[in-house]
Amino acid sequence: MLEALQYDFIQNALIAGILISISAGIIGSLVVVNRLTFLTGGIAHSSYGGIGLAIYLGIPVLFGATVFAIITAVVIAMLTLKNRNRADSIIGLMWAFGMAVGIIFIDITPGYNVDLMSYLFGSIIAVSNGDVLYMTILDIFIISIVMIFYKQILAVSYDSEFASLRGINTKFFYTLILILASLCVVAAIKAVGLILVIALLTIPTYLAESFASRLSTMMILSSALATLFTIIGLAISYYYDISSGASIIISAVVILTVVKLLRR
């Protein structure tokens, strides 16, 4: 794959893959520890509404998806905090609503020629310089927030009741974790798409759990594993001319399976 690095689109894809892997490792650890996988999946699919709205308004797709995903995360957080026992119904509602909004706006957009499959299943080789800059900013923001509020996030993630007794605003940090997850989802859209984004968030973390005893260690190891999976997936995609998103996830699943079998 070294000869492929002479091409700008391959360089952008590799840089974007590393940036996405860093945020996916950090946020994936929080998602798994807080058992928010299904909830994050709802946010991911709801952000399709932002994609459709952005196409209709003629604004950058990632920006539209980011705004829509953040709003969805806040709404889901507010509703699930009061109705934890109905969380699955609320997530399903937002999931369907977001997808429906996106489809409607795309249908009424005159003469659009956007490849929507790339947003559903990923197309990291189509990443532009602007997308790389956007992902860099998102990464910096996510890392900064996690570093600043690490102790509070750690407390809320492992024992929210004790954290509440210690005076930590658990509702705020619960909402913050969902917002960070929504930002990570948007960053990962170009790599693996909305359909496969949850796999990128959870598989590296699931594997990292076997070797890490601290949340910080899990985040670092998850980011490293996500980067490894992304590079391998990109190489497979380049040599065999197949979907980059699917290649990344298949690589992750195969490596996870082999490691788990060897450990047994």
Side-chain angles (χ1 to χ4, degrees), residues 9-261:
F9 70 93
I10 294 293
Q11 295 174 11
N12 283 345
L14 185 59
I15 295 171
I18 294 172
L19 291 172
I20 292 166
S21 298
I22 292 172
S23 58
I26 295 172
I27 301 304
S29 299
L30 295 178
V31 167
V32 171
V33 168
N34 286 277
R35 297 179 177 86
L36 299 175
T37 303
F38 182 56
L39 203 153
T40 306
I43 295 174
H45 288 80
S46 297
S47 64
Y48 192 76
I51 293 173
L53 184 59
I55 293 173
Y56 178 75
L57 296 176
I59 61 177
V61 171
L62 289 184
F63 176 75
T66 298
V67 174
F68 203 90
I70 290 175
I71 293 173
T72 302
V74 173
V75 171
I76 289 179
M78 293 173 60
L79 294 177
T80 54
L81 277 170
K82 297 178 181 179
N83 302 282
R84 289 292 183 97
N85 57 328
R86 302 301 299 274
D88 54 345
S89 300
I90 294 170
I91 294 167
L93 172 65
M94 296 300 296
W95 184 319
F97 174 75
M99 294 290 289
V101 168
I103 292 171
I104 289 174
F105 274 111
I106 289 169
D107 285 343
I108 63 177
T109 301
Y112 77 92
N113 58 354
V114 179
D115 181 14
L116 297 178
M117 294 296 288
S118 65
Y119 295 107
L120 291 176
F121 299 101
S123 181
I124 197 169
I125 59 174
V127 170
S128 64
N129 291 330
D131 293 332
V132 171
L133 177 61
Y134 198 77
M135 293 172 188
T136 303
I137 294 172
L138 286 179
D139 262 26
I140 293 173
F141 178 76
I142 289 172
I143 293 171
S144 299
I145 292 296
V146 171
M147 290 180 65
I148 293 170
F149 297 111
Y150 178 77
K151 291 183 179 180
Q152 292 89 333
I153 291 174
L154 178 67
V156 171
S157 298
Y158 284 100
D159 195 337
S160 59
E161 292 183 4
F162 178 73
S164 181
L165 292 174
R166 292 295 301 269
I168 296 175
N169 190 338
T170 55
K171 294 181 179 180
F172 169 78
F173 285 103
Y174 173 73
T175 305
L176 179 63
I177 290 171
L178 289 184
I179 291 175
L180 293 177
S182 69
L183 293 175
C184 183
V185 162
V186 171
I189 286 175
K190 279 285 189 176
V192 295
L194 295 176
I195 303 298
L196 303 174
V197 66
I198 297 304
L200 184 63
L201 289 175
T202 55
I203 293 175
T205 302
Y206 180 52
L207 184 55
E209 275 186 316
S210 305
F211 303 96
S213 57
R214 300 174 60 184
L215 180 60
S216 57
T217 306
M218 188 188 304
M219 289 178 174
I220 295 171
L221 186 55
S222 296
S223 296
L225 289 170
T227 301
L228 175 64
F229 300 154
T230 301
I231 293 174
I232 293 174
L234 279 174
I236 293 173
S237 174
Y238 175 77
Y239 283 117
Y240 296 100
D241 192 24
I242 55 179
S243 172
S244 55
S247 300
I248 292 170
I249 300 306
I250 289 296
S251 302
V253 172
V254 170
I255 293 175
L256 172 66
T257 303
V258 171
V259 172
K260 289 294 183 180
L261 289 175

